Amino acid sequence: MAVLQTVLLVIVALATVVALAVFVRGAAAVVRQVGVGRPAPGRLAPAGRRTLTLVTEVLGHGRFQHRPAVRVAHWAVMVSFPVLFLTLVTGYGQLVDPGFALPLVGHLPPWEWLTEAIAWLSLAGILWLVLLRLRTQPDRGEPVEGARRSRFFGSTRWQAYVVEAVILVVVVCVLALRALEHAWLSGGGPAEVALATPLHFPLTAWLGELLAGVDRGVLGGAVAAVAAVKILVSLAWLVVIGLQPTMGVAWHRFLAVVNVYARREPDGAPALGPLQPVVVDGQELDVAALEDLPEDATLGVGRIEDFTWKGLLDFSTCTECGRCQEQCPAWNTGKPLSPKLFTLALRDHAAASAPFLRAARAAGGSAAPGADGASGSNAAGSGVAGPDVAGSDVAAALGGRDGFRPHTGDVLGALAAAGATGPGGVSATPSALVPDVIDPDVLWACTTCGACVQQCPVDIEHVDHILDLRRHEVLMASAFPAELGQMFKKLESKGNPWGMAPRKRLDWAKDLEFEVPVVGADVESAAEVDYLFWVGCAGAFEDRARRTTRAVAELLHTAGVTFAVLGDGETCTGDPARRSGNELLFQMLAAQNVETLAEAGATKIVVTCAHCFNTLAREYPQLGGRYEVVHHTQLLNRLVREERLRPVPPAPGADGARTVTYHDPCYLGRHNQVYAPPRELLGALDGVQVAEMPRSGVDAMCCGGGGARVWMEEKIGTRVNVERAREAAGTGASAVATACPFCTTMLSDGVAANGDDVEVLDVAQLLLAGVRRGEDRE
């Protein structure tokens, strides 16, 4: 064996031992970090269904469906990791013998074809991803306002470049080795020459032929050198990530598999729709059993160890790709909330806290490190900014703006200054996540639209985590925006967030040309009619929403669909309370409604509010209320298809033809996947031309009213509804159609603020106009 090969073999052997030791140490740190979380029941079963979902999502790359080029590029790079791993194993043999090949598969043509194809695809893929990152990376000297537009704003730049550089070098080495192997075999004996053909080198033979005539000794040394480079670069990557357990852009290669497997919905649906119940000591919170709770029980998440292990795994899995940030309506309107930076702050805090938490548990205590703002990811104070944000190129520009703070020192030093003496002698003061790690302005900016969850390629459950923090702030700390306090009082005393008297719930039906029957007064039971019409608080009390309620009632009456309402027996479903963190108030309202609906004999319900739709259909089953719930656009669309409703176009020359753009309500579309019925209804209206907004369907922007934001003032940045209304007006449409009273209210206010001459209507109102035209002509 040549001296060069001997030296390389020794270097590689030593590097392998060191790299594996460092990597195992880092992996153990990640496991320990995730292990400080609470149990997450149900996240590992059913195994068969979850495994199928995992394989389908990973191989299909379903979350990349709207980014076809990125989808192909990332798929190729991902597949190269397991496929090209055997070339790494081969490299160890090539340090000794340039002609070394693995038994069985080493010269098996199908495997050689696959290896070369994946190598070339991966090379193209990583070059495309590097180019994409360079094109969309925020400029170093760019003002913060401009830099925020990049989805990589706040991501740790050097970590991404390290990962991409490693992939690029390794793939180039794989292709170079294939070319060198071809040249080596071409100069050997008959058996070796027989292997140096396009059959065995389908995509690299042409490179090997360029090396024809090179001395075989030189080729042998080159094979060993390139193999060593490939191995050492791969080992260097293991060392880097082993020393950086928070390097999600690299660790997600391992953690994403577990995270996708343990997702909330085993069938592959995103973690949207119903919010998960509060869990105390492994049991779902029951309002009736509040007095039986332990005195030290925690409701919601107040400290990092209150998250489940799945929540902590979410944080560790984040790739910092920024797709959630790019879609977030709060971030895009100048708010401090970035779902990505929120996740990274919690990840870094968990990493810094885990050693102390484990030591405290081992000693029989429950201390958490940090106090007075010195807490893990953010030793300088509140805000969603850990070392990753401060380590980025925009950290200096951030300063103390928008809820972010730069990192000002060593994490362990800050913890020690706060009284945390370390695993050997735990002496730490509990640290609240809000405001020590997460600024309140960050927490309350969320509209719970779910765009972050929908976009995340590794199934992080941002909305659930934000709402768990809100629950703690409301139920344990009594810390929430003042506007919510007023809303809570109105819900408790009047059963609606407007504070209107329950007796006025039927005022919307005054002056209708037909009677609206009330269950218990006009009909004995809801079973006597086709549907119970759930009017909702907005539909009963808000003037713009009342028009939708009346339109739906008239359309159902025209179509011969019998329905009844609960009148003053109806109360708020509790959605505003639950989305603002007041789980106890939600459960009280929900329990009352479930009892009322049971007494009314309701089994089929039609609703006009997307939030009521989600709550009744997806959340009331948690309390035993199971119904067949349809949104009014679904029912009306079916009635039009059955020709029980016949809209007609305006007469030639008459006013009525118009261009309309449709706004997708988040809790109808993204949370419940109802996209087609409203659009089909609009498509059935002759004289109406639909112009889609740039952000529509699964990519639609929120109106700004979800997550109880409709009851809170927006004091930072641009109002979300103003931005969305501006986008709607930009289509040139004369009207914005939607299918939720919150959206109608928010968009109407946004249009008024912009001074645009655009009308905001519910789809039902447009349909009613067409149906009335038909009745008039008859």
Side-chain angles (χ1 to χ4, degrees):
M1 187 164 55
V3 175
L4 174 63
Q5 292 169 304
T6 302
V7 172
L8 291 176
L9 187 60
V10 172
I11 293 174
V12 166
L14 292 174
T16 300
V17 173
V18 172
L20 289 178
V22 174
F23 175 74
V24 169
R25 176 178 175 272
V30 174
V31 171
R32 288 194 298 268
Q33 175 182 328
V34 173
V36 303
R38 294 185 294 106
R43 290 304 185 120
L44 300 179
R49 185 66 176 273
R50 288 186 177 277
T51 301
L52 179 61
T53 297
L54 170 66
V55 172
T56 302
E57 180 160 323
V58 171
L59 294 184
H61 263 42
R63 292 298 181 88
F64 292 81
Q65 57 184 332
H66 299 293
R67 300 171 184 267
V70 175
R71 183 180 192 176
V72 173
H74 189 274
W75 183 89
V77 172
M78 178 200 71
V79 171
S80 71
F81 185 68
V83 171
L84 299 184
F85 176 75
L86 288 183
T87 68
L88 181 65
V89 177
T90 303
Y92 282 88
Q94 289 171 324
L95 293 174
V96 179
D97 177 10
F100 175 82
L102 290 174
L104 300 180
V105 299
H107 293 302
L108 186 67
W111 181 255
E112 291 173 314
W113 303 340
L114 177 63
T115 298
E116 293 197 2
I118 292 299
W120 282 110
L121 285 174
S122 183
L123 177 61
I126 195 61
L127 288 174
W128 168 254
L129 294 177
V130 169
L131 177 61
L132 180 65
R133 183 176 293 273
L134 291 173
R135 283 171 43 199
T136 56
Q137 193 76 255
D139 295 335
R140 294 181 182 274
E142 190 176 7
V144 173
E145 290 76 8
R148 283 171 62 105
R149 287 193 290 268
S150 168
R151 65 185 175 97
F152 296 114
F153 175 90
S155 298
T156 314
R157 192 174 299 204
W158 74 264
Q159 292 184 355
Y161 289 154
V162 165
V163 171
E164 291 168 343
V166 167
I167 295 171
L168 183 59
V169 171
V170 168
V171 172
V172 169
C173 285
V174 169
L175 294 171
L177 280 170
R178 291 293 291 170
L180 288 168
E181 290 167 27
H182 180 277
W184 168 268
L185 293 171
S186 297
E192 291 175 318
V193 172
L195 294 172
T197 66
L199 175 65
H200 294 279
F201 296 85
L203 302 175
T204 55
W206 64 278
L207 282 173
E209 290 171 358
L210 297 177
L211 301 173
V214 177
D215 182 77
R216 212 160 184 247
V218 174
L219 289 174
V223 168
V226 175
V229 169
K230 181 175 69 171
I231 294 170
L232 291 174
V233 168
S234 300
L235 294 176
W237 179 76
L238 289 179
V239 170
V240 170
I241 69 172
L243 295 174
Q244 297 282 333
T246 59
M247 192 173 174
V249 69
W251 277 104
H252 87 276
R253 182 167 289 186
F254 309 102
L255 301 181
V257 174
V258 183
N259 209 51
V260 173
Y261 176 88
R263 64 192 303 161
R264 192 222 280 180
E265 305 297 338
D267 64 356
L272 297 173
L275 185 60
Q276 298 302 284
V278 171
V279 175
V280 181
D281 291 338
Q283 300 294 322
E284 294 183 8
L285 177 65
D286 183 358
V287 174
L290 280 178
E291 295 182 358
D292 299 330
L293 289 178
E295 292 184 3
D296 60 347
T298 297
L299 304 181
V301 171
R303 295 185 295 178
I304 198 68
E305 65 268 32
D306 293 334
F307 282 109
T308 66
W309 64 261
K310 174 57 172 66
L312 297 180
L313 181 62
D314 271 359
F315 308 147
S316 295
T317 308
C318 179
T319 71
E320 303 188 28
C321 68
R323 288 173 55 188
C324 58
Q325 180 174 287
E326 184 179 49
Q327 293 292 322
C328 179
W331 180 258
N332 284 319
T333 53
K335 313 296 189 296
L337 169 63
S338 157
K340 176 183 70 179
L341 300 181
F342 168 87
T343 300
L344 299 186
L346 292 172
R347 178 198 68 188
D348 296 331
H349 181 64
S353 303
F356 298 91
L357 292 171
R358 293 181 65 86
R361 289 180 181 179
S366 60
D372 299 326
S375 56
S377 72
N378 186 13
S382 62
V384 185
D388 290 304
V389 176
S392 70
D393 297 301
V394 297
L398 281 170
R401 304 179 55 150
D402 296 339
F404 294 93
R405 304 288 189 273
H407 184 60
T408 59
D410 176 72
V411 171
L412 295 180
L415 291 172
T421 61
V426 179
S427 173
T429 305
S431 170
L433 292 179
V434 181
D436 293 343
V437 180
I438 304 298
D439 192 283
D441 284 335
V442 169
L443 182 64
W444 296 105
C446 180
T447 67
T448 70
C449 70
C452 49
V453 179
Q454 181 75 47
Q455 289 291 326
C456 183
V458 293
D459 285 300
I460 294 173
E461 299 161 9
H462 312 77
V463 172
D464 285 355
H465 302 323
I466 288 172
L467 291 179
D468 275 339
L469 289 173
R470 286 187 177 183
R471 284 166 163 172
H472 183 274
E473 289 303 285
V474 172
L475 301 176
M476 303 295 293
S478 296
F480 45 84
E483 305 98 317
L484 292 182
Q486 296 299 315
M487 182 192 73
F488 294 155
K489 291 178 181 177
K490 292 173 182 177
L491 286 173
E492 291 173 3
S493 61
K494 301 295 184 180
N496 67 84
W498 277 271
M500 302 293 288
R503 68 176 182 277
K504 295 185 177 181
R505 277 192 175 270
L506 264 176
D507 285 0
W508 65 268
K510 290 180 179 179
D511 304 324
L512 285 176
E513 296 179 357
F514 53 91
E515 292 295 324
V516 175
V518 179
V519 176
D522 304 304
V523 294
E524 185 76 17
S525 166
E528 299 176 23
V529 294
D530 295 325
Y531 288 95
L532 175 73
F533 183 10
W534 184 274
V535 177
C537 301
F541 300 121
E542 207 278 327
D543 287 341
R544 287 163 289 197
R546 280 182 173 184
R547 300 186 191 112
T548 301
T549 306
R550 290 172 64 91
V552 171
E554 185 173 338
L555 288 167
L556 295 180
H557 177 74
T558 300
V561 176
T562 60
F563 65 93
V565 298
L566 292 175
D568 59 10
E570 184 178 303
T571 192
C572 180
T573 61
D575 168 83
R578 191 170 223 195
R579 262 64 195 177
S580 58
N582 198 334
E583 180 70 12
L584 300 184
L585 181 53
F586 162 75
Q587 287 209 23
M588 288 188 286
L589 293 169
Q592 179 181 339
N593 281 325
V594 168
E595 183 179 354
T596 299
L597 290 169
E599 292 175 353
T603 57
K604 299 172 66 176
I605 303 174
V606 58
V607 299
T608 58
C609 175
H611 297 261
C612 293
F613 174 69
N614 180 72
T615 306
L616 290 167
R618 308 287 302 280
E619 297 187 333
Y620 275 21
Q622 297 172 359
L623 287 84
R626 291 175 172 79
Y627 322 102
E628 180 187 332
V629 186
V630 296
H631 190 258
H632 72 284
T633 58
Q634 294 174 306
L635 178 56
L636 295 178
N637 187 46
R638 191 174 79 221
L639 295 175
V640 169
R641 291 201 311 269
E642 294 173 353
E643 297 188 350
R644 295 170 67 178
L645 291 173
R646 294 189 177 92
V648 301
D655 185 24
R658 63 193 337 187
T659 299
V660 175
T661 188
Y662 176 68
H663 165 80
D664 289 275
C666 298
Y667 274 81
L668 184 63
R670 195 174 289 114
H671 280 272
N672 286 283
Q673 306 302 303
V674 179
Y675 296 107
R679 288 178 168 80
E680 290 175 2
L681 272 177
L682 292 173
L685 301 177
D686 290 333
V688 171
Q689 181 179 353
V690 179
E692 291 282 7
M693 283 183 263
R695 290 177 285 188
S696 61
V698 295
D699 297 322
M701 181 182 179
C702 181
C703 72
R709 285 295 323 174
V710 71
W711 314 110
M712 291 181 265
E713 289 294 327
E714 284 189 59
K715 301 174 183 177
I716 302 174
T718 305
R719 291 177 181 269
V720 176
N721 61 332
V722 169
E723 182 64 28
R724 184 58 167 169
R726 184 179 296 118
E727 186 173 359
T731 64
S734 63
V736 180
T738 187
C740 174
F742 285 13
C743 295
T744 302
T745 298
M746 297 298 289
L747 292 175
S748 295
D749 292 346
V751 166
N754 291 333
D756 294 320
D757 185 19
V758 178
E759 189 176 12
V760 181
L761 300 164
D762 190 275
V763 174
Q765 293 174 268
L766 290 168
L767 175 62
L768 179 61
V771 170
R772 280 178 172 174
R773 283 194 294 268
E775 293 175 344
D776 292 341
R777 292 180 190 179
E778 291 177 359

